[in-house]
Amino acid sequence: MTRVLTMVVGAALAGVAGGAAPAGGASAPADACVLLPSTSLARWESQDRRYLAAAFTSARVSHSIVNAAGSAGRQLAQARECLAKGAKVVLLVHVDGRAGRRVGRLAAAAGVPLVDYARLTPGGSASFYVASDDVEAGRLLAGGVAGALGAGGRTPVVARLGAPRSEPGSALVARGYDAVLARLRRSRRIAAGPAVVAASWRPGALQAAARRALAGGAGVDGVVAADDRLAGAVVSALRASGLPPIPLSGRSASAQGVRNVVSGWQTGTVYDSPKLQANAAARVAIDLVGGRPVRVNGWTRDGSRRVPSILLRPVWITRNNYAVLFAEGVHSRSEICGGEYARFCR
C-alpha cells in the first residue's frame, strides 16, 4: 500500500505588484494559474485544459490557463503576468528545464507555491510534483515485453531503446525498466541485447536508434522502447527488413502507437491518463488556495533535492483493453479503427 504523507505550505501566498501585462498572458486575475508548454502535443489543449478548467470551476476557484506555444520567453512572460495579478498558486508544465527554473524563482520571490505538473524541473524549486509515476511506467514497459516473449529454445535477447536524455522523466523511466530487466537477466530468463538511447526526436535519429537496437535485425527477440515514436521506428525497421513483429513496448498511447497495438506490431503502450493527472494537480492547487494540507504519496528527486510528490499509476494498454482510451476521450474508435486497421478492431 502506498504511504500517504501530509504536507502543509505556509500561508505566504501574496502576489507581486505592478507591471504591465505582457502579450500572450492571462486576461484576468485568478487564484490558480496554469502554465502549459506547447500546442505540438495535442493533450495539453484537448484534454488537460478541459479537465483542469472543470475541476477549478467545480471548486469555485478562479483560474487562468495559458499556453506558451513552445516559447520559453512567452512562458516566463505569462508567469510574470499571473503573479502580478495576484495568483496564489502556479501549476507549471515547463517548456524546458531552464524556463522551469526561472519561473520557479519568480514564484519563490512572490511567496507563491509552485507545482510542477507532468514534468519535474531539474534543479527546480517546486513545492509539489504531480505526474504519472515514471519509474512504474518503466516497469510496465519491461514487464509487458517480458510477458510476451516465447517460452522454450534459447534465452531470448531483449534490447533497450531509451528516449533522448533531454526528455523529461527519461532517467526515471530507464530506472524502472532497467531494474526489471536486470532481475530477469540474473534469473537467466533473458539475455542482454543492445542498449541504445535516441539522440533526438528527429525521424532520422529515431530510425538510426531503432536499427542499432535491432542489431541489423538478427538475434533480438524483443525491444523495450520507452515511447511510441521509438516503437514506431522499430516497426518500420522490421517491416523494411521483411521481419515479423516481436515483443515491443511503447509509451504515450499515441494514435499510431495504439494502431500498432491493435494490428499486432506493438505489444502494448503505457497510458498516462491526462484526466487523472489534471484532477490530481487541480486538487493540490485548490487545497493550497484554501490553505488546506496537501496529501502526497511519495518523493521524487529533481537532481538536488527530494520533492513531495503525488504519483499516479500508469496503465499498460494492449489489444485487450484499448477501449478504455475511447471511454476517456483520448481517441475515437474511428481514429484508431478506420481504414486498414478496421479488420483488427473488435
Side-chain angles (χ1 to χ4, degrees):
M1 178 179 293
T2 301
R3 184 163 63 98
V4 177
L5 310 171
T6 301
M7 307 284 295
V8 181
V9 171
L13 296 173
V16 294
S27 60
D31 286 339
C33 175
V34 181
L35 304 175
L36 298 177
S38 69
T39 55
S40 60
L41 193 61
R43 64 166 281 190
W44 304 124
E45 290 299 321
S46 65
Q47 296 174 70
D48 294 73
R49 177 186 287 274
R50 172 163 50 97
Y51 293 130
L52 288 163
F56 287 129
T57 299
S58 177
R60 298 185 179 181
V61 170
S62 60
H63 58 280
S64 169
I65 303 174
V66 292
N67 195 309
S71 168
R74 184 178 290 116
Q75 188 163 76
L76 192 64
Q78 290 169 340
R80 286 197 182 100
E81 182 177 7
C82 281
L83 293 167
K85 290 185 174 181
K88 295 179 180 178
V89 61
V90 174
L91 292 185
L92 171 68
V93 190
H94 65 244
V95 170
D96 56 40
R98 184 167 181 266
R101 289 186 290 274
R102 294 177 71 187
V103 171
R105 287 194 290 271
L106 287 175
V112 172
L114 175 75
V115 180
D116 272 348
Y117 171 48
R119 296 175 178 174
L120 183 63
T121 301
S125 53
S127 299
F128 298 97
Y129 173 50
V130 181
S132 189
D133 187 336
D134 285 326
V135 175
E136 177 61 18
R139 296 189 192 106
L140 290 175
L141 293 168
V145 169
L149 292 168
R154 70 180 178 85
T155 303
V157 176
V158 177
R160 290 165 287 166
L161 182 50
R165 291 187 174 90
S166 59
E167 178 69 12
S170 60
L172 295 172
V173 176
R175 184 195 305 171
Y177 63 65
D178 280 343
V180 172
L181 296 176
R183 185 169 64 249
L184 294 172
R185 288 194 298 271
R186 287 194 298 270
S187 63
R188 299 186 179 180
R189 289 177 56 192
I190 67 168
V196 180
V197 174
S200 74
W201 289 120
R202 291 181 297 104
L206 297 179
Q207 292 159 12
R211 287 193 296 269
R212 287 168 54 207
L214 290 169
V220 171
D221 301 291
V223 178
V224 176
D227 185 88
D228 284 348
R229 288 167 287 185
L230 293 164
V234 172
V235 171
S236 296
L238 290 170
R239 283 176 162 167
S241 299
L243 295 171
I246 60 175
L248 171 66
S249 68
R251 186 184 186 189
S252 78
S254 66
Q256 187 56 52
V258 179
R259 293 186 197 113
N260 287 339
V261 169
V262 300
S263 62
W265 279 97
Q266 187 172 323
T267 309
T269 180
V270 171
Y271 172 52
D272 309 290
S273 170
K275 183 177 183 179
L276 290 181
Q277 291 182 62
N279 286 338
R283 182 72 262 165
V284 172
I286 290 163
D287 285 343
L288 290 172
V289 169
R292 292 181 292 273
V294 173
R295 294 167 64 84
V296 305
N297 64 0
W299 306 82
T300 308
R301 290 203 64 85
D302 71 356
S304 59
R305 63 194 183 94
R306 297 167 73 230
V307 183
S309 304
I310 295 89
L311 300 175
L312 305 167
R313 186 178 176 85
V315 177
W316 178 240
I317 297 293
T318 69
R319 296 176 75 175
N320 295 323
N321 66 346
Y322 65 87
V324 70
L325 303 173
F326 306 152
E328 287 210 1
V330 180
H331 303 298
S332 66
R333 180 172 287 276
S334 61
E335 181 183 13
I336 301 302
C337 300
E340 65 181 290
Y341 296 95
R343 61 194 175 98
F344 300 112
C345 289
R346 299 171 181 176

